[in-house]
Amino acid sequence: MQVIICKNAQDVGEAAAMIFASTIYAKPDCILGLATGSTPIPTYQKMIELYKRGLLDFSKVRSYNLDEYVGLSGDHPCSYRYFMNTELFDHVNIDKANTHVPSGLGADPEANAREYDKMLAACGGIDLQLLGIGRNGHIGFNEPNDDHFVYNTNIITLTESTREANAKYFDKPEDMPAKAISMGVGGIMAAKRVLLLATGSSKAQAIHDTVLGPVSPKCPASILQTHPNAQIICDEEAAALLK
Ligand code: F6R
């Protein structure tokens, strides 16, 4: 696992966007695994800028997102489908029919999870998977636990730490769903290349545990130590405990 340390969040975004750009240049019909949250926003902004300058073409790109809240439809401003549309897809020439976000709707979210895994298996493999990281070391919404990694797309009960971190996006904190549907660790590890971004001091302990700790479901991101092509790009604050 390679670690690249940049000065600040803006530089992390620029570095990550360069990796996205080179992936799209090398394979215009590549499959991107995408993440939401505050961390990838500078990356998406840089990708939009490159597109607007005529340097990037998303017309053949396909994408699969990591996760979605259970119970939120795509037009809910806090849903991850809405986030992807407003932060990236609406501003570039990607065909929305080629973009996929797991669905947290319907009577049987577990069935949606099984369906998402079938789509992932059929898509031919994610070329570049973008990840953020939770303060507790989660990737996607795969929350820490004592004894096992969850490999398949699954329905997750969000931890207090995650609920506290994300409640700020909701008008009323109690409106935040208690559950999410998330690609499992198996789907993430199956990607050909993984790029985890981390910015800010609140991620320092999680980055320490990911890079220097044992591979353990207590820090789900630590499994990336065993991925053959994983990189972490973090800013100086998130890297503070690596020295
Ligand atoms: C989002 C996701 C989460 C976030 C993580 C960090 O799709 O899968 O793992 O990447 O919670 O969120 P931010 O970037 O908001 O700190």
Side-chain angles (χ1 to χ4, degrees):
M1 187 163 57
Q2 187 194 19
V3 181
I4 299 165
I5 302 173
C6 298
K7 198 163 180 50
N8 54 40
Q10 206 54 37
D11 288 354
V12 169
E14 295 220 5
M18 284 195 276
I19 291 174
F20 271 97
S22 63
T23 302
I24 296 170
Y25 285 136
K27 190 177 173 190
D29 60 347
C30 62
I31 301 185
L32 302 179
L34 298 176
T36 59
S38 55
T39 309
I41 288 176
T43 305
Y44 294 152
Q45 286 172 346
K46 190 72 194 172
M47 285 160 71
I48 292 166
E49 183 198 316
L50 292 173
Y51 164 72
K52 289 194 168 153
R53 289 169 56 199
L55 295 171
L56 265 189
D57 175 13
F58 292 82
S59 61
K60 298 197 183 87
V61 169
R62 284 178 286 158
S63 72
Y64 289 83
N65 260 77
L66 285 166
D67 41 21
E68 180 59 282
Y69 288 113
V70 167
L72 294 196
S73 65
D75 55 6
H76 189 293
C78 294
S79 74
Y80 285 169
R81 162 53 78 179
Y82 189 92
F83 174 100
M84 288 312 303
N85 287 348
T86 53
E87 297 296 336
L88 180 64
F89 300 153
D90 286 345
H91 309 286
V92 298
N93 66 335
I94 199 163
D95 179 350
K96 288 235 183 83
N98 288 337
T99 68
H100 307 85
V101 179
S103 167
L105 293 179
D108 188 0
E110 301 280 355
N112 300 350
R114 289 192 294 275
E115 201 48 46
Y116 205 62
D117 276 339
K118 277 192 208 151
M119 275 174 25
L120 287 171
C123 81
I126 290 174
D127 292 293
L128 176 61
Q129 175 66 58
L130 182 66
L131 298 173
I133 185 169
R135 293 183 294 193
N136 61 7
H138 74 213
I139 45 175
F141 271 137
N142 295 286
E143 299 284 32
N145 71 73
D146 284 342
D147 48 23
H148 65 285
F149 288 102
V150 178
Y151 285 92
N152 294 330
T153 298
N154 60 108
I155 306 302
I156 285 161
T157 302
L158 300 171
T159 60
E160 264 320 300
S161 149
T162 300
R163 287 175 58 80
E164 192 191 305
N166 289 8
K168 61 177 181 282
Y169 298 111
F170 290 80
D171 285 343
K172 287 184 266 162
E174 59 273 24
D175 288 346
M176 186 179 158
K179 293 187 178 210
I181 178 169
S182 175
M183 198 191 285
V185 159
I188 293 168
M189 290 295 285
K192 291 165 198 156
R193 183 175 185 180
V194 177
L195 185 59
L196 184 147
L197 309 182
T199 53
S201 56
S202 68
K203 304 294 173 67
Q205 187 64 50
I207 287 298
H208 171 275
D209 295 350
T210 299
V211 178
L212 301 176
V215 175
S216 159
K218 290 180 179 160
C219 175
S222 64
I223 199 164
L224 298 177
Q225 290 178 28
T226 69
H227 192 284
N229 192 7
Q231 284 167 312
I232 296 181
I233 308 184
C234 52
D235 67 2
E236 286 174 355
E237 287 183 2
L241 300 178
L242 291 182
K243 287 154 197 155

